[in-house]
Amino acid sequence: MAEAKLTPEQKLAMYHRMLLCRMFEERVYFLFLEGRLPGTIHQSQGQEASAVGICSALDAGDMITSTHRPHSHAIARGVSARSLMAELFAKETGCCRGKGGSMHVGDAGAGMLPAIAIVGGGLPLAAGYALAFRYLKQPNIVACFFGEGAANIGVFHEAVNMAAIWNLPVVFVCENNKYAASTAVEKVMRVKHVSERAAAYGIPGETVDGNDVEVVYQAMVKAGSRARAGDGPTLLELETYRFAGHSRSDPGHYRKPEEVAAWKERDPIARYEARLLAEKVLEPSEMTKIRASIELELETAIAQAEQDPSPKPEDCLTDVFAS
Amino acid sequence: MAEAKLTPEQKLAMYHRMLLCRMFEERVYFLFLEGRLPGTIHQSQGQEASAVGICSALDAGDMITSTHRPHSHAIARGVSARSLMAELFAKETGCCRGKGGSMHVGDAGAGMLPAIAIVGGGLPLAAGYALAFRYLKQPNIVACFFGEGAANIGVFHEAVNMAAIWNLPVVFVCENNKYAASTAVEKVMRVKHVSERAAAYGIPGETVDGNDVEVVYQAMVKAGSRARAGDGPTLLELETYRFAGHSRSDPGHYRKPEEVAAWKERDPIARYEARLLAEKVLEPSEMTKIRASIELELETAIAQAEQDPSPKPEDCLTDVFAS
Amino acid sequence: MSSQASAVSNQEAQGREMTMVEALRAALREEMRRDDRVILLGEDIGVEGGFGGAFTVTLGLSEEFGHHRVLDTPISEAAIAGVAAGAALGGLRPVADVQYGDFLFLAMDQLANNAAKLRYMSGGKLSVPLVFRAPVGATTRGAQHGQSLEAFFMHVPGLKVACPSNPYDAKGLLKTAIRDENPVIFFEHKLLYGSKGARKEKGGLQVTGWVPDEEYLVPLGEAKIVRPGRDITLVANLLMVHKSMQAAETLAREGIEAEVVDVRTLTPFDWETVFQSVRKTTRLIIVEEDNLTGGWGAEVAARVADHCIGHLDAPVRRIAAPDTPVPFAPVMENFYVPSAEKIVAAVKELVGTHPQPWM
Amino acid sequence: MSSQASAVSNQEAQGREMTMVEALRAALREEMRRDDRVILLGEDIGVEGGFGGAFTVTLGLSEEFGHHRVLDTPISEAAIAGVAAGAALGGLRPVADVQYGDFLFLAMDQLANNAAKLRYMSGGKLSVPLVFRAPVGATTRGAQHGQSLEAFFMHVPGLKVACPSNPYDAKGLLKTAIRDENPVIFFEHKLLYGSKGARKEKGGLQVTGWVPDEEYLVPLGEAKIVRPGRDITLVANLLMVHKSMQAAETLAREGIEAEVVDVRTLTPFDWETVFQSVRKTTRLIIVEEDNLTGGWGAEVAARVADHCIGHLDAPVRRIAAPDTPVPFAPVMENFYVPSAEKIVAAVKELVGTHPQPWM
Ligand SMILES: Cc1ncc(C[n+]2csc(CCOP(=O)(O)OP(=O)(O)O)c2C)c(N)n1
Ligand SMILES: Cc1ncc(C[n+]2csc(CCOP(=O)(O)OP(=O)(O)O)c2C)c(N)n1
Ligand SMILES: [Mg+2]
Ligand SMILES: [Mg+2]
């Protein structure tokens, strides 16, 4: 399949989106350290190309599913920083009205189901949503994010197989960031690439550079077209790395500093910035403007979130059943 | 690896054992139709070569795990027809003292854990038992039977992967009889052979003729040696077929009569009988003797089982906890 | 045992005697005809020449509605539940099933952590309208094919739980469950299916019940007094409704009038009907096939001990299976499953003529 | 809050204040030293530079005992449970864990259908000596990381269930559980870990308790009266023991003496201690963090309604989380989790000066 040609506007949009992901996470990190956010967080600095590359290849009506590490997925999908921030602040205005929290952010209206924090738990939901798309003759697909750690859990196997035999319009997107919490992938899996497991289900598997947003985008366009054409799922593996710890206050001593350093060399944002500058798609002056606009957006989101009303204690009792 | 050379005695023993499996199942079928046995049964006529070929390659201290279709596994492993029959008759003398029933027959003393009737549920038990063997420095292995239908359940994936990364001494033996209840394998799996899934775990996979007892035996010797040597598990697929319905009173209308007929042509016992006769390992007169001795064994087992005491109603209350 | 359950008083109405299986099948068929979004997922439910699921309930439906609406799945209970939940989120109304309730444990994460909680976690924006059918009850298949699992699911906020005892209720409740916006776990008792032919259960009751031709719904959350009485209240579900009725008939011959309440659904639970009955009879026995400790009967006893304690003239008793796995041997299984005799004996103990020394 | 739990009266004995995490770790270490067959399985439990499991309990153990005894697993909860059960059958004594109790649903089939039933299905020939550790409790992590799951496992025959509230009991019970021949589900409350350093829980109690240097065991099945009292009985476990103690202290200042019973294990359950306390105080409130409907408190209420009804001077009440998933926002979570204030209010309602109108 020929590669989709990216316009300068699209490139800039991807750059902008990645930067928003990064700066959002950086702000959240400080807010968290300052004790202004409750709960726990799993951050995604370093994995922005994967989130943005995938989501940039989606249509408005498509859906994504996510994991315990969902912030960048949400931003890449277009869930507003405002409603995300409010959710992290546990406010009534949050995308889950304060009931979900960091690990369950999402907004079906924006094309993202609430994130599922039980590793692998989102895969059958994604397949089922894809089944509904096909059944209802909607031209849409589901992009299902999960980590390489999730590729060892039973429901991964069941969901990918079911999607495969039914040719469901879903793309299984494995963000292989080499670690599941402190556990290195090679300790828990004998194959080198998660994508090698695709063969077990008779579907295509592909591993690409997850830190190159255009590579990710092109791979998703390909897998997505396949899915839209009724040819079934693809197992797409994105090689990437998280710069931060696994969750709040993890210093990450199980990773060698050289390894972290080597991956920081491959920072998806810095790389893309350099490329866009070289391609003259991006001007240095524009860079500054983009950053400033993002900063403003985040400042506003934080300021609003802090002022927003908290849910009332008894609100805990509602939303259990639909009527 | 060179093939293990089978002595005439070994060949005869395998023939005898297969015949015992078959004749046991045939008697059970009639007992069942006559209403003399309670519960339900899943029979294994046609799959004797797989049970016997595998178990003949095991040592006394090895262990097998089994499924809802366990009769031939039990007999092949050397659980006495007497204690099996008594269990089916729900008697105190049964191998599970009347508490297990057809779907849970087993006798750890004879090298078989109680069968697990939840599809796939035995796989992690097998891996765990193998872990104990290795940890305790016992030179033994586990042979884990399951059907091709079980290869789609989550715990298959988890257990095979865990055994693979830890190089556990277990052989995963998939009896691919083409159907899971009424469901044809090709409807629920896009790979042609279950053994193709071995690659997903970085272990060897092999598919062999499951209706040729010597082929099965040789494959198991090979996989078993690998496991004993500390080189980890193998996924061994045996292509076979069940002649009977899935469970009691299943007429099997979902299978084409020609398909059933073609497989009956490949009856593992008839084939082996012909071969042994040709090889002069078996004399026609001996055949008659073997059959007669098996008939006697089964008659005795049935007669004894019928006379054996039933458990008392309140026995239902014991054996919940060990003290 | 026949149509004690014909709840429709208008005997002029058109209808016929049906088995539970026929009633369930009719409910599925009607809802599938009414609403295109209703689909079925499960193992062996639509295979040509197959069984119509483990207990024939879906026989014929793939022929009428096609395989795109009657989906035969691999043996993948977790994914069956999760795919059903995903499809529900995506706008369908899936009715999924497990062949035996015991396999629900395999799907428990998807049901309890996803289906039950997604509405809540989304702040009320989403709903998960799915039905998950599960046959329960001991039927000489041993420990892994005979459990009663209602209590596990009654304990999960966000799930509704139905457990009908007769064809009329089964049909009406299943139709309501399919139209409900929430996940409903729908328990059916194997010995009540009453199916004829190949998949007939040994020892099964030939329960039939009058079912009107005209469409009707039975709401979730309304218990039914299936036998009025003044001396003691028996609260039961599924097969135990029938055992309780048997017991009540025996007791009536001795002048003891037991009121039998069929709870019909556990979530929502019709507390008022139970409380009113207990306040009237002043004595309560809960009858369930599940293991005693932590069964749904414990919740009923606990609520009564809170809300009706001043009206009780006897200890609140539960008759349930003992705290053991389901044994295989019929002689043990018969001891394990609560019997009408046990109910009769317990009632007689509580309805003593002496004033209760403990009060 | 400090060593209210120092159950050893001989204050001359050598010992020291420990957190729950330290006590659990000490139990594992001692048992691993004592018995070669004890191994650990779980995610991130033995990685160099890692966490020692989700809450640091296993820190340092892989260094002392090696990776063949401290096995880091893939994220495969069903296989963790099943492999542990298989290893137990094969002669080892595995201690497995999940990082959050909520993931037990993934392992439920292996625990409830295999580990719990294999002894029974084998006619008593086999045993499955394993321990499965699971952290529970709401800690602002939302709906999938904060459930209390004791009731689900108390309802499975063949499983034992422990739920200690303090370091002394935690150590003694865990050692006993490891030596037990049966599968034990061992619940730990996240807010009681009291760990310092990196994995410290926000909002956690700095619970320490005096733990003797000398070896001791705490038997399964013995409740502990952690505060004697004459006016009402509070039965609790885990974090709720502490909330009940707080409530009791407040009440004492107003002249109401609550007796607080820490159940310590749910299976086996020490019914006699609870019954005796209730017969003495004539009033009972059960306090648990689990959702109300079908929580373990229901079983306690039900047994009391059967065995002690004649001694009750008030309705049997339960204080539990409402029937909702665990909400994220702290303001809602604080409402969700039972508080000392709620306990105090409920006690005051029951211990009224008026004769009870309902009796
Ligand atoms: C079923 C399950 N087991 C364990 C956990 C605890 N846990 C949360 S994230 C995580 C690691 C996940 O690794 P991976 O899937 O690679 O995603 P990543 O964190 O690297 O993005 C673990 C073990 C969980 N949430 N769910
Ligand atoms: C988890 C689970 N799901 C469904 C069943 C019901 N069931 C029993 S046997 C069977 C088919 C199993 O097929 P396969 O694994 O190929 O074994 P075979 O019967 O062919 O020997 C099914 C669906 C079960 N016992 N366990
Ligand atoms: Mg990862
Ligand atoms: Mg098969």
Side-chain angles (χ1 to χ4, degrees):
Chain A
M1 210 181 88
E3 297 226 322
K5 186 105 183 74
L6 281 163
T7 65
E9 290 68 36
Q10 285 176 306
K11 292 181 181 202
L12 271 182
M14 293 204 296
Y15 170 73
H16 187 130
R17 212 32 89 84
M18 285 203 290
L19 209 52
L20 179 57
C21 292
R22 174 70 54 91
M23 289 168 70
F24 179 90
E25 288 288 50
E26 283 171 352
R27 286 309 308 259
V28 164
Y29 184 63
F30 282 101
L31 289 167
F32 202 84
L33 287 190
E34 289 160 22
R36 289 158 75 189
L37 298 182
T40 190
I41 42 165
H42 300 81
Q43 300 207 290
S44 51
Q45 291 93 324
Q47 305 188 191
E48 296 86 355
S50 109
V52 172
I54 296 293
C55 292
S56 300
L58 296 179
D59 292 346
D62 295 341
M63 186 57 75
I64 70 166
T65 65
S66 177
T67 71
H68 58 282
R69 197 181 302 289
H71 301 175
S72 286
H73 301 152
I75 290 183
R77 186 65 185 124
V79 179
S80 75
R82 159 105 181 79
S83 76
L84 286 169
M85 199 60 91
E87 186 64 27
L88 300 189
F89 271 95
K91 294 302 177 75
E92 175 65 34
T93 47
C95 55
C96 306
R97 300 187 42 233
K99 286 199 163 122
S102 163
M103 290 199 274
H104 303 303
V105 296
D107 179 351
M112 176 186 188
L113 289 180
I116 299 297
I118 306 222
V119 166
L123 276 83
L125 294 181
Y129 212 97
L131 176 66
F133 274 152
R134 207 225 350 239
Y135 186 91
L136 298 171
K137 301 202 168 43
Q138 287 173 244
N140 295 110
I141 64 172
V142 180
C144 169
F145 286 102
F146 59 100
E148 89 295 338
N152 291 324
I153 201 152
V155 81
F156 160 88
H157 180 70
E158 295 188 4
V160 176
N161 186 56
M162 213 176 273
I165 60 170
W166 293 343
N167 279 318
L168 297 180
V170 52
V171 178
F172 294 104
V173 179
C174 180
E175 296 183 291
N176 184 346
N177 62 6
K178 310 295 180 279
Y179 292 86
S182 72
T183 302
V185 58
E186 60 274 11
K187 280 186 62 175
V188 288
M189 198 181 276
R190 286 177 71 144
V191 288
K192 195 159 171 344
H193 295 297
V194 173
S195 63
E196 293 173 54
R197 292 192 166 169
Y201 312 105
I203 61 170
E206 192 180 8
T207 302
V208 302
D209 180 350
N211 278 13
D212 184 326
V213 70
E214 293 194 7
V215 166
V216 173
Y217 173 84
Q218 297 295 355
M220 182 63 195
V221 167
K222 193 170 82 176
S225 314
R226 213 185 106 81
R228 281 183 226 276
D231 294 334
T234 299
L235 177 52
L236 188 56
E237 179 182 20
L238 312 176
E239 294 201 281
T240 185
Y241 203 77
R242 63 170 152 74
F243 294 162
H246 165 63
S247 62
R248 68 175 175 94
S249 61
D250 163 23
H253 291 319
Y254 46 86
R255 308 193 301 191
K256 293 215 186 74
E258 312 86 77
E259 183 183 278
V260 181
W263 277 96
K264 287 212 166 145
E265 288 295 305
R266 299 180 54 198
D267 183 326
I269 298 181
R271 273 167 92 186
Y272 202 49
E273 201 168 82
R275 192 187 312 164
L276 294 192
L277 287 170
E279 288 180 5
K280 303 253 188 268
V281 169
L282 182 67
E283 299 295 323
S285 63
E286 208 169 352
M287 263 175 60
T288 326
K289 268 202 281 183
I290 293 176
R291 278 182 188 271
S293 85
I294 292 177
E295 244 152 53
L296 183 65
E297 181 177 354
L298 293 174
E299 273 322 306
T300 317
I302 294 167
Q304 288 181 315
E306 288 200 299
Q307 280 171 27
D308 281 343
S310 280
K312 288 183 292 301
E314 322 78 62
D315 288 342
C316 127
L317 301 176
T318 60
D319 299 326
V320 180
F321 288 112
S323 51
Chain B
M1 207 183 88
E3 298 226 321
K5 184 105 185 76
L6 282 163
T7 63
E9 290 69 37
Q10 286 176 306
K11 293 182 178 201
L12 270 182
M14 293 205 297
Y15 170 73
H16 187 130
R17 210 35 88 82
M18 286 204 290
L19 210 52
L20 180 57
C21 292
R22 173 71 54 90
M23 289 168 71
F24 179 90
E25 288 289 49
E26 283 172 350
R27 285 310 306 260
V28 164
Y29 184 62
F30 281 101
L31 289 167
F32 202 85
L33 286 191
E34 290 159 23
R36 288 157 78 189
L37 299 182
T40 189
I41 42 166
H42 301 79
Q43 299 207 290
S44 52
Q45 292 95 319
Q47 303 188 194
E48 296 87 356
S50 111
V52 171
I54 296 293
C55 292
S56 301
L58 296 178
D59 292 346
D62 295 339
M63 187 57 77
I64 70 167
T65 65
S66 177
T67 70
H68 58 283
R69 197 179 301 289
H71 301 174
S72 287
H73 302 152
I75 289 182
R77 186 65 185 124
V79 179
S80 74
R82 160 104 180 77
S83 76
L84 287 170
M85 199 60 91
E87 187 63 28
L88 300 189
F89 272 95
K91 293 303 177 76
E92 175 63 36
T93 47
C95 56
C96 305
R97 300 186 43 232
K99 285 198 162 123
S102 163
M103 289 199 275
H104 303 303
V105 296
D107 179 351
M112 175 184 187
L113 289 180
I116 299 297
I118 307 224
V119 166
L123 276 83
L125 294 180
Y129 211 96
L131 175 67
F133 273 152
R134 207 226 349 241
Y135 187 90
L136 297 170
K137 302 202 168 37
Q138 286 171 243
N140 296 108
I141 64 171
V142 180
C144 169
F145 287 103
F146 58 100
E148 90 294 338
N152 291 325
I153 200 152
V155 81
F156 159 89
H157 179 70
E158 295 189 4
V160 175
N161 186 56
M162 212 176 274
I165 60 169
W166 292 345
N167 278 318
L168 297 180
V170 52
V171 178
F172 293 105
V173 179
C174 179
E175 297 182 291
N176 183 345
N177 63 6
K178 311 293 180 278
Y179 291 86
S182 71
T183 302
V185 59
E186 60 273 11
K187 280 186 61 172
V188 287
M189 198 180 277
R190 285 176 74 141
V191 287
K192 194 159 172 343
H193 295 296
V194 173
S195 63
E196 294 173 55
R197 292 191 166 169
Y201 312 106
I203 61 169
E206 192 181 6
T207 302
V208 302
D209 179 351
N211 278 11
D212 183 326
V213 71
E214 292 194 9
V215 167
V216 172
Y217 173 84
Q218 297 294 356
M220 181 63 194
V221 166
K222 193 169 82 175
S225 315
R226 212 184 107 82
R228 280 182 227 278
D231 294 334
T234 299
L235 177 52
L236 188 57
E237 178 182 21
L238 312 176
E239 295 202 279
T240 184
Y241 203 77
R242 64 170 153 72
F243 294 162
H246 166 63
S247 63
R248 69 175 174 92
S249 61
D250 162 24
H253 291 320
Y254 46 86
R255 308 195 299 191
K256 291 216 186 73
E258 312 85 78
E259 182 183 277
V260 181
W263 277 95
K264 287 213 167 148
E265 287 296 304
R266 297 179 55 198
D267 183 325
I269 298 181
R271 273 167 94 188
Y272 203 47
E273 200 168 82
R275 192 187 313 163
L276 294 192
L277 286 171
E279 288 180 7
K280 303 261 188 264
V281 169
L282 181 67
E283 298 296 322
S285 63
E286 209 168 353
M287 264 176 60
T288 326
K289 266 201 281 180
I290 293 176
R291 277 182 190 271
S293 87
I294 292 176
E295 244 152 51
L296 184 64
E297 182 178 351
L298 293 174
E299 274 321 308
T300 316
I302 293 168
Q304 288 182 316
E306 288 201 299
Q307 281 171 28
D308 281 343
S310 280
K312 288 183 292 299
E314 320 80 63
D315 287 343
C316 125
L317 302 175
T318 62
D319 299 326
V320 179
F321 288 113
S323 52
Chain C
M1 183 166 307
S2 84
S3 58
Q4 50 85 4
S6 310
V8 172
S9 50
N10 175 10
Q11 292 293 340
E12 315 279 278
Q14 294 292 309
R16 66 181 185 89
E17 291 285 317
M18 275 189 193
T19 62
M20 187 79 108
V21 161
E22 289 168 327
L24 291 165
R25 191 183 298 136
L28 293 174
R29 185 180 288 120
E30 285 179 19
E31 292 305 298
M32 291 178 82
R33 285 183 184 161
R34 185 185 62 78
D35 185 348
D36 259 359
R37 298 167 306 165
V38 179
I39 62 163
L40 312 184
L41 290 106
E43 296 158 18
D44 304 296
I45 61 172
V47 178
E48 275 85 24
F51 321 130
F55 296 96
T56 73
V57 173
T58 58
L59 262 186
L61 298 180
S62 66
E63 285 79 352
E64 176 170 352
F65 299 103
H67 289 290
H68 67 299
R69 294 189 68 186
V70 182
L71 291 113
D72 286 307
T73 68
I75 304 174
S76 305
E77 278 76 5
I80 292 172
V83 165
L89 290 165
L92 305 187
R93 302 201 152 250
V95 183
D97 75 334
V98 278
Q99 299 200 334
Y100 289 82
D102 312 67
F103 314 154
L104 284 171
F105 290 138
L106 290 161
M108 191 103 182
D109 169 63
Q110 289 296 325
L111 293 172
N113 283 330
N114 284 356
K117 296 181 172 47
L118 269 159
R119 176 171 185 77
Y120 196 78
M121 298 191 312
S122 72
K125 293 185 191 165
L126 299 174
S127 58
V128 189
L130 71 84
V131 177
F132 211 87
R133 298 178 40 239
V136 294
T139 58
T140 66
R141 284 178 177 86
Q144 295 182 334
H145 284 70
Q147 296 167 83
S148 292
L149 295 104
E150 302 97 275
F152 290 105
F153 294 88
M154 186 192 194
H155 187 46
V156 179
L159 297 181
K160 296 191 175 180
V161 178
C163 43
S165 71
N166 62 71
Y168 179 88
D169 288 345
K171 184 176 178 208
L173 287 170
L174 183 52
K175 284 169 67 83
T176 308
I178 292 172
R179 299 181 192 191
D180 199 281
E181 292 298 326
N182 302 286
V184 182
I185 314 293
F186 200 92
F187 289 105
E188 303 163 6
H189 198 289
K190 282 163 254 169
L191 293 183
L192 295 179
Y193 278 135
S195 68
K196 297 153 214 146
R199 301 287 293 174
K200 176 163 161 37
E201 279 301 293
K202 283 196 232 176
L205 294 176
Q206 189 49 39
V207 196
T208 61
W210 189 81
V211 175
D213 293 340
E214 202 163 85
E215 172 162 83
Y216 66 96
L217 297 171
V218 174
L220 305 178
E222 285 188 14
K224 188 162 71 178
I225 296 175
V226 289
R227 188 184 202 285
R230 59 167 190 256
D231 296 323
I232 190 165
T233 300
L234 300 178
V235 172
N237 74 340
L238 294 167
L239 181 65
M240 292 302 125
V241 174
H242 299 269
K243 303 254 170 148
S244 299
M245 289 297 285
Q246 278 171 23
E249 280 157 32
T250 306
L251 288 162
R253 287 195 290 275
E254 307 190 23
I256 299 174
E257 289 299 332
E259 177 147 307
V260 181
V261 180
D262 179 349
V263 298
R264 302 206 288 192
T265 63
L266 293 170
T267 310
F269 194 100
D270 183 355
W271 294 114
E272 254 338 288
T273 295
V274 169
F275 292 168
Q276 276 174 22
S277 176
V278 171
R279 287 183 188 125
K280 178 178 78 175
T281 66
T282 76
R283 289 173 172 82
L284 170 63
I285 296 179
I286 303 131
V287 191
E288 62 177 322
E289 186 175 323
D290 203 347
N291 302 110
L292 178 72
T293 298
W296 61 263
E299 182 62 32
V300 178
R303 299 256 179 166
V304 166
D306 190 349
H307 296 275
C308 309
I309 196 156
H311 297 84
L312 287 171
D313 280 322
V316 176
R317 201 135 285 171
R318 290 171 292 156
I319 300 182
D323 289 335
T324 77
V326 184
F328 162 63
V331 54
M332 290 194 278
E333 197 192 76
N334 288 337
F335 179 86
Y336 172 93
V337 176
S339 63
E341 293 71 44
K342 268 191 201 153
I343 303 170
V344 167
V347 168
K348 286 188 184 170
E349 204 191 314
L350 291 197
V351 188
T353 44
H354 312 292
Q356 306 303 321
W358 50 75
M359 294 310 294
Chain D
M1 184 165 308
S2 84
S3 58
Q4 49 85 1
S6 309
V8 172
S9 51
N10 174 10
Q11 292 292 342
E12 313 280 277
Q14 296 289 311
R16 67 181 185 89
E17 291 285 318
M18 276 189 192
T19 62
M20 188 79 108
V21 160
E22 289 168 325
L24 291 166
R25 191 184 297 136
L28 292 175
R29 185 182 286 121
E30 285 179 20
E31 292 305 298
M32 291 179 83
R33 286 183 184 163
R34 186 186 61 78
D35 185 348
D36 260 0
R37 297 168 305 167
V38 179
I39 62 164
L40 311 184
L41 289 107
E43 294 157 19
D44 303 295
I45 62 172
V47 178
E48 276 83 24
F51 322 129
F55 296 95
T56 75
V57 174
T58 59
L59 263 187
L61 298 180
S62 66
E63 285 79 353
E64 176 171 352
F65 299 103
H67 289 289
H68 66 299
R69 293 188 70 186
V70 182
L71 291 114
D72 285 307
T73 67
I75 304 175
S76 306
E77 279 75 7
I80 292 172
V83 165
L89 290 165
L92 304 187
R93 301 198 153 255
V95 182
D97 75 334
V98 277
Q99 299 199 336
Y100 289 80
D102 313 67
F103 314 154
L104 284 172
F105 290 138
L106 291 162
M108 192 103 182
D109 170 63
Q110 288 296 324
L111 293 172
N113 284 330
N114 284 355
K117 296 182 172 48
L118 269 159
R119 177 173 184 75
Y120 195 78
M121 297 192 311
S122 72
K125 293 183 189 165
L126 299 175
S127 58
V128 189
L130 71 84
V131 176
F132 211 87
R133 297 179 39 240
V136 294
T139 60
T140 65
R141 285 178 176 87
Q144 295 183 334
H145 283 70
Q147 297 168 81
S148 292
L149 296 104
E150 303 97 275
F152 291 104
F153 294 89
M154 186 193 195
H155 186 45
V156 178
L159 297 180
K160 296 189 175 181
V161 178
C163 43
S165 70
N166 62 72
Y168 178 88
D169 288 345
K171 184 177 177 208
L173 286 171
L174 183 52
K175 285 170 66 83
T176 307
I178 293 172
R179 298 182 193 191
D180 198 282
E181 292 299 326
N182 302 285
V184 182
I185 314 294
F186 200 92
F187 289 104
E188 302 163 9
H189 198 289
K190 280 163 254 168
L191 293 183
L192 295 179
Y193 278 135
S195 67
K196 297 153 215 143
R199 302 286 291 174
K200 177 163 162 35
E201 280 300 294
K202 283 196 233 176
L205 296 176
Q206 190 50 38
V207 195
T208 61
W210 188 81
V211 175
D213 294 340
E214 204 164 83
E215 171 161 85
Y216 66 96
L217 297 170
V218 174
L220 306 178
E222 284 188 13
K224 189 161 70 178
I225 297 176
V226 288
R227 187 183 203 285
R230 59 166 189 256
D231 296 324
I232 190 164
T233 300
L234 301 176
V235 172
N237 74 341
L238 294 165
L239 180 65
M240 292 302 126
V241 173
H242 300 269
K243 304 254 170 145
S244 299
M245 289 297 284
Q246 278 171 23
E249 280 157 33
T250 306
L251 289 162
R253 288 195 289 276
E254 309 188 25
I256 299 175
E257 290 298 333
E259 176 147 307
V260 181
V261 181
D262 179 350
V263 297
R264 300 207 288 192
T265 63
L266 293 170
T267 311
F269 194 99
D270 183 355
W271 295 114
E272 251 340 287
T273 296
V274 170
F275 292 167
Q276 275 174 24
S277 176
V278 171
R279 287 184 188 126
K280 180 178 77 177
T281 66
T282 76
R283 289 173 170 83
L284 169 64
I285 296 180
I286 303 132
V287 191
E288 61 177 324
E289 186 176 322
D290 203 348
N291 303 109
L292 178 72
T293 298
W296 62 264
E299 183 62 31
V300 177
R303 298 257 180 166
V304 166
D306 189 350
H307 296 276
C308 309
I309 197 156
H311 297 83
L312 288 171
D313 280 322
V316 176
R317 203 135 285 172
R318 290 171 292 155
I319 300 182
D323 289 334
T324 76
V326 184
F328 162 63
V331 54
M332 291 193 276
E333 198 192 77
N334 289 336
F335 178 86
Y336 172 92
V337 176
S339 63
E341 294 70 45
K342 267 192 202 154
I343 303 171
V344 168
V347 168
K348 286 189 185 166
E349 202 191 316
L350 291 197
V351 188
T353 44
H354 311 293
Q356 304 305 321
W358 50 76
M359 293 309 292

